[in-house]
Amino acid sequence: MEATTSSVTDFSDAPIPLGLERFLGLVIRALSTTLEDTVGEREASGFINLVGIAIAEEIHADYLRAAGAERLGRQAVSNALIDLKRRLGGDFYVIEDSGDRIVLGNRRCPFGDLAKTCPSLCTITSHVFGHMVAESQGYGRVTLADTIARGSPTCRIVIDLDPDAPGEGGQSYFGTGAA
């Protein structure tokens, strides 16, 4: 079969669904799946953990600058987590916010369908949330109880602020400064 050659030279109005967001999503998916295929999902998650920590430090610094403070107060932490995910396209909301626990829900994954093919990306959420909470409150244990990436219709993120609280598993984060 002979290949046809197009005479089209201007694609500016072509219905190609490509913009910066989709392009970056393709890059992230390719990197994540390449890592998972090469070293396995567990090891890929370790690499993504390092990326998540670096991202968390940058984002936390942004919120501290915006607050004009050295650490975020208890209510500011919850507000910052919700605001962060809203800015990224998520639809996070507070389910519970007590003295020793924050439980957030989410109706729309900021990573969109990408999360379904790269569930290890959820560890970025864990690291960003855990780092921000721990740096401002001294400690945070983040449990990704339900995630859209793992097939749930919504996410439920449990953040325990007390290291002795009974937990549902999760990842512990410790602040580097005094809380």
Side-chain angles (χ1 to χ4, degrees):
M1 178 175 210
E2 187 176 319
T4 60
T5 303
S6 172
S7 61
V8 175
T9 58
D10 180 10
F11 293 96
S12 60
D13 292 326
I16 300 171
L18 186 61
L20 181 59
E21 187 173 322
R22 179 161 182 259
F23 176 78
L24 291 175
L26 292 169
V27 170
I28 290 169
R29 183 174 62 204
L31 287 170
S32 180
T33 55
T34 299
L35 271 173
E36 288 175 5
D37 292 346
T38 304
V39 299
E41 189 172 331
R42 182 181 169 119
E43 288 77 11
S45 184
F47 286 112
I48 292 172
N49 287 346
L50 296 173
V51 171
I53 290 168
I55 292 168
E57 289 173 353
E58 292 275 339
I59 291 171
H60 185 243
D62 289 340
Y63 279 94
L64 291 176
R65 277 190 295 278
E70 292 183 13
R71 72 179 196 93
L72 298 176
R74 178 68 184 74
Q75 186 61 48
V77 168
S78 292
N79 291 344
L81 300 179
I82 298 291
D83 179 72
L84 163 65
K85 289 302 186 170
R86 177 192 57 80
R87 290 173 185 266
L88 298 177
D91 187 14
F92 279 67
Y93 55 93
V94 175
I95 295 172
E96 175 188 338
D97 195 346
S98 62
D100 62 350
R101 177 178 266 202
I102 302 167
V103 180
L104 301 177
N106 177 39
R107 292 177 280 259
R108 183 178 56 247
C109 181
F111 296 113
D113 289 337
L114 177 63
K116 293 177 183 174
T117 58
C118 303
S120 59
L121 291 174
C122 292
T123 60
I124 293 175
T125 295
S126 176
H127 285 311
V128 171
F129 281 10
H131 180 77
M132 289 177 68
V133 168
E135 288 301 322
S136 291
Q137 304 300 301
Y139 174 81
R141 180 177 60 229
V142 179
T143 304
L144 303 172
D146 298 307
T147 66
I148 294 168
R150 291 190 312 240
S152 179
T154 61
C155 296
R156 189 170 68 87
I157 314 297
V158 178
I159 305 166
D160 288 301
L161 305 174
D162 178 357
D164 297 323
E168 304 172 31
Q171 173 72 42
S172 290
Y173 300 86
F174 297 90
T176 57

